[in-house]
Amino acid sequence: MTLDSNKCRAFYNGKSYPCHVSMAMDLVGGRWKTVILYYLKDGEKRFSELKKTIPDITEMTLSLQLKQLEKDGLIYRTAYGIKPPIKVIYTMTTVGYSFVSVLDAISAWAEKLVPNQDCDDL
C-alpha cells in the first residue's frame, strides 16, 4: 500500500482509494467478510465448516466473499486433488492476520454492549 501525499489517496492491489478508511472498508466491509475472518483467525477451515459456523450465510454468498477475500490477499485457498478438488482449505494470510487485533477489538466492544450474553443459548 502506498499513499500519494499530493492527493491524499491510498493505493492497494492496483486500486485507488480516497483515504485509508475507504480502502479498509473495501477489504473487510459488508455483512460477511469480517465474520468470515473472525472464524478463520483461530485456524484453517473448510468451506463446509464455515457454512456450519455461519448458518445465516448462503452458500453462494459465502463462495463470493471467500473469492473476494482471496483476491484482496486476506486469505489463502488451498485445493487438494484435481477436478473436482477433494478438499479445499481456507487460511488467513499475513495481511489477514494483521487484522486480528481489529477483530478482537470489535468483539470486545460488542461484548460490552451485550454483557453476560451466553452465545451457546442463542
Side-chain angles (χ1 to χ4, degrees), residues 28-92:
V28 298
R31 183 173 179 188
W32 299 112
K33 287 181 182 177
T34 305
V35 175
I36 292 166
L37 291 170
Y38 178 79
Y39 287 111
L40 286 175
K41 76 182 182 106
D42 294 325
E44 64 184 31
K45 299 267 188 295
R46 293 177 74 163
F47 183 93
S48 60
E49 291 174 303
L50 286 168
K51 180 63 181 108
K52 275 186 211 169
T53 307
I54 314 167
D56 293 340
I57 193 170
T58 66
E59 287 188 11
M60 181 179 179
T61 299
L62 178 57
S63 179
L64 290 171
Q65 296 299 287
L66 288 167
K67 285 177 185 174
Q68 189 63 51
L69 287 166
E70 180 185 17
K71 180 182 171 210
D72 289 337
L74 280 90
I75 65 170
Y76 290 120
R77 177 186 185 272
T78 306
Y80 299 94
I82 53 175
K83 296 183 182 183
I86 297 168
K87 179 174 158 181
V88 177
I89 299 288
Y90 295 94
T91 55
M92 289 179 111

Side-chain angles (χ1 to χ4, degrees), residues 87-101:
K87 179 174 158 181
V88 177
I89 299 288
Y90 295 94
T91 55
M92 289 179 111
T93 63
T94 304
V95 174
Y97 277 116
S98 71
F99 189 64
V100 169
S101 62

